[in-house]
């Protein structure tokens, strides 16, 4: 009979990984078996940590956040295990963030992904505490070289890219509307100068000709791109007008578009659910129209982007539906994107045998 203590490390790692996928609480219980299991399990238990949304019960004090930071940075097991740090904090406090917050950002030597969702009012404080590398401040620290993915709320947080040694994946969720915001092209030029090897860029900026061209001039080596802002519901600026611009990305493998109702293709379903009452045929007509414009977009991509000399696209995402390119160069619906986890921020792709046509 094989005793538990005689199991090799790779078997214990597999056991812990399986337990982690099933239930985190179960993995935590398993980590208490012995020291060796605890060491193996810790890297999985603490590989992704999230700071609380509310820093304290009254939402007006940073006491809860300071305590959490102290616990995290003082535990070497946690510090050495973290690969993903998710900071999503809502507070009504008018006070500055605790000084320890900037220290926290630089505390994880093996971190690969940093996700920040904070109010824009904290940008200047964090930049001041880290040091302004955009002005050649050599004393300003850098994130560990393992960091390659950055998720930020909008372009006001782009200064964080200056502290990353080699950025491969950048996501900013919303466009910036405030008057002092630099032009989109200015941000992209700075990004291209600092990280010319960026592979993935997803943002909430409008999917219009000017933005695609700005990105292509500064970041031609992108392999994945997604402008999720749409062209405007009733805009005359159709996505079809600039499909050929994607040929400027020779290494492009994946394009992500928002819902077809945002692409200026003439598909404008009613926003209000009441419009469907006493109109049983409306859903059927809208589904048919959505299918029509989706096919129109996919055919346009085949014609304008994948023509001889263009990039070899592998997938196109429209809304939450993934279309894969088959051996004949045609796009077929293959997966559906599901949003899971707290707030639905984590996106996973699920294969579907008979996906059917998804209404917009």
């Amino acid at each position: 009979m094989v005793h538990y203590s005689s199991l090799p490390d790779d078997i214990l790692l597999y056991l812990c990984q399986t337990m982690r996928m099933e239930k985190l609480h179960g993995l935590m219980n398993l980590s208490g078996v012995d020291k060796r299991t605890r060491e193996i399990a810790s890297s999985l238990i603490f590989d992704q940590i999230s700071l609380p949304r509310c820093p304290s019960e009254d939402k007006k004090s940073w006491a809860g956040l300071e305590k959490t930071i102290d616990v995290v940075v003082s535990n070497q097991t946690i510090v050495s295990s973290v690969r993903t740090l998710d900071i999503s904090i809502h507070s009504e406090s008018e006070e500055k963030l605790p000084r320890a917050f900037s220290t926290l950002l630089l505390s994880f030597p093996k971190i690969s992904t940093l996700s920040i969702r904070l109010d824009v009012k904290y940008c200047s404080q964090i930049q001041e505490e880290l040091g302004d590398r955009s002005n050649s401040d050599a004393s300003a620290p850098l994130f560990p070289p393992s960091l390659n993915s950055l998720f930020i709320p909008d372009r006001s947080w782009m200064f964080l890219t200056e502290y990353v040694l080699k950025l491969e994946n950048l996501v900013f969720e919303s466009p910036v509307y405030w008057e002092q915001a630099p032009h989109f092209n200015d941000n992209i030029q700075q990004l291209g100068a600092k990280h010319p090897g960026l592979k993935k860029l997803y943002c909430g900026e409008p999917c219009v000709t000017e933005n695609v061209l700005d990105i292509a001039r500064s970041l031609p080596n992108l392999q994945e791109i997604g402008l999720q802002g749409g062209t405007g519901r009733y805009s005359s600026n159709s996505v079809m007008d600039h499909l050929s611009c994607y040929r400027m990305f020779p290494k492009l493998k994946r394009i992500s578009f928002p819902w077809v109702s945002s692409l200026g293709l003439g598909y404008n379903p009613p926003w209000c659910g009441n419009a469907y009452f006493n109109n049983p045929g409306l859903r059927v007509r809208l589904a048919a129209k959505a299918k029509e414009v989706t096919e129109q977009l996919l055919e346009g991509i085949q014609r304008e982007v994948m023509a001889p000399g263009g990039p070899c696209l592998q997938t196109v995402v429209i809304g939450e539906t993934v279309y894969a390119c088959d051996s004949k160069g045609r796009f077929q619906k293959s997966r559906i994107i599901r949003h899971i986890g707290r707030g639905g921020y984590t996106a996973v792709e699920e294969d579907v045998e008979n996906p059917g046509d998804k209404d917009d």
Side-chain angles (χ1 to χ4, degrees), residues 108-120:
F108 307 103
K110 298 180 181 179
I111 187 172
S112 61
T113 301
L114 174 61
S115 176
I116 292 183
R117 296 180 183 87
L118 286 174
D119 194 280
V120 67

Side-chain angles (χ1 to χ4, degrees), residues 258-306:
W259 298 105
V260 289
S261 58
S262 303
L263 297 177
L265 296 174
Y267 172 61
N268 304 304
W271 289 114
C272 181
N274 292 335
Y276 297 93
F277 293 156
N278 301 319
N279 195 344
L282 181 58
R283 289 187 181 275
V284 175
R285 293 194 298 273
L286 288 175
K289 183 63 175 177
K291 181 179 180 181
E292 175 188 335
V293 297
T294 298
E295 292 176 350
Q296 176 186 349
L297 175 56
L298 293 174
E299 290 172 359
I301 293 172
Q302 291 172 311
R303 182 178 61 254
E304 301 291 339
V305 183
M306 300 178 66

